[in-house]
Amino acid sequence: MKKDRILVTGGTGYIGSHTVVELQKAGYPVVIIDNLSNSNRDVLDGIERISGTRPDFVEADCTDIDALRKLFADYPGIKGIINFAASKAVGESVQKPLLYYRNNLNTLMNLLDLMGPNGVKGIVFSSSCTVYGEPDENPVTEKSPIKKATSPYGNTKQISEEIITDVINSGAPFKSVILRYFNPVGAHPSAEIGELPNGVPQNLVPYLTQAAMGIRNELSVFGNDYNTPDGSCIRDYINVVDLAKAHVLAVERMLDDASEEKIEIFNLGTGLGTSVLELIGAFERSTGVKVPHKIVGRREGDIEKVWADPTIANTVLGWKAESSLDETMRSAWAWQCKLRERGIM
Ligand code: NAD
Ligand code: WQD
């Protein structure tokens, strides 16, 4: 049976591109909207090389409601939206808060505005474990308290969750699945798509692979005096392909009306906490490549430890993280090698 068309905002980005591939594998026709502010057109070639199908692509900004209206007119029959489009650099959001509030919130509000009139049944929203701040207890469940956001970026995720809730509670004729990602890492095993950070990476894994490649002198480990077994911070690193697969299940759930609930929230993590030093060890062990690194002081605003309780995603959504950390590290390295091969980095 022919499946309904899905609109993927931010679909040429890191998580979006992996999700487009999984949607295509599941038989969904996809239309991407992206303004290419943090990605490029070549990603479409990578997607096509993996899936054999080039997704429809509209280069436009989701804050431009007329462009979105035109998209719905040009691509009729969109039944689901996955909203990845957002600005995501925590540090930059402190410097340019209005850019973050404007981009992330107007994008979401424009989509919510157009869903009813265009007969869209549901929207999947990319939220983040950042909403839990420094948790009182680990692992965190979906019922763990939401802490005051420590950056405008984090605040846009909290506000977005509230906007979705208010709009749906007002009687809007659609559903939403809110996915709280922990730390997405790695790349597609084909090394055709992956994370392509702009400038100096702020996140651990892209910095690590660049240091291993010699692009950066050494990786700075931010602190070894935390209250953790080896003193470095702990996170829940989730393979990006595993993460992408959860979006397909979320879309199916909304389109099939599989749940009575109009809003559902799922933590997407492995359930395992891994320290920075353990992650470096896993990379070195699984690739045989050394990571030059040194311990430096703590990074301001860092969370000491956070990892997910993914039980609800496991049982209700039927999703489970499957890849091992070693496999994920090998995929991150294969992607870094591919970037080198292509002369990109
Ligand atoms: P990304 O920057 O790689 O992808 C986002 C894409 O959206 C980019 O291609 C960008 O060009 C596009 N975009 C941004 N604003 C747009 C706009 N107004 N109109 C059209 N396109 C626009 O980021 P990602 O890592 O793939 O993250 C995807 C989503 O997941 C984001 O909402 C992010 O906040 C969220 N998230 C990411 C992480 C993470 O660590 N990567 C963790 C939790 C949540
Ligand atoms: C991971 C660990 C660092 C870089 C951020 C956002 C969060 C979410 C995910 C979107 C930490 C350590 C890092 C380095 C290091 N994004 N580190 N040296 O801080 O968990 O979360 O991305 O929603 O909102 O805040 O991810 O990859 O920056 O750091 O030692 O050069 O690696 O201290 O412990 P983080 P990260």
Side-chain angles (χ1 to χ4, degrees), residues 53-81:
T53 307
R54 196 169 187 85
D56 287 319
F57 177 68
V58 175
E59 182 180 346
D61 197 306
C62 297
T63 62
D64 176 352
I65 196 158
D66 291 329
L68 280 174
R69 283 203 182 94
K70 180 168 182 327
L71 186 153
F72 279 109
D74 291 348
Y75 297 92
I78 292 169
K79 290 287 174 236
I81 298 178

Side-chain angles (χ1 to χ4, degrees), residues 10-47:
T12 45
Y14 173 45
I15 307 169
S17 56
H18 291 82
T19 300
V20 169
V21 166
E22 296 306 317
L23 285 167
Q24 291 177 322
K25 263 171 67 180
Y28 288 98
V30 173
V31 53
I32 293 175
I33 178 169
D34 203 299
N35 63 3
L36 305 181
S37 58
N38 199 36
S39 56
N40 64 67
R41 235 171 232 284
D42 298 347
V43 173
L44 298 168
D45 301 330
I47 293 172

Side-chain angles (χ1 to χ4, degrees), residues 328-344:
T328 303
M329 290 298 105
R330 277 195 295 271
S331 73
W333 182 237
W335 169 244
Q336 182 67 63
C337 294
K338 183 58 79 75
L339 290 175
R340 172 53 55 97
E341 197 182 297
R342 292 193 185 142
I344 297 171

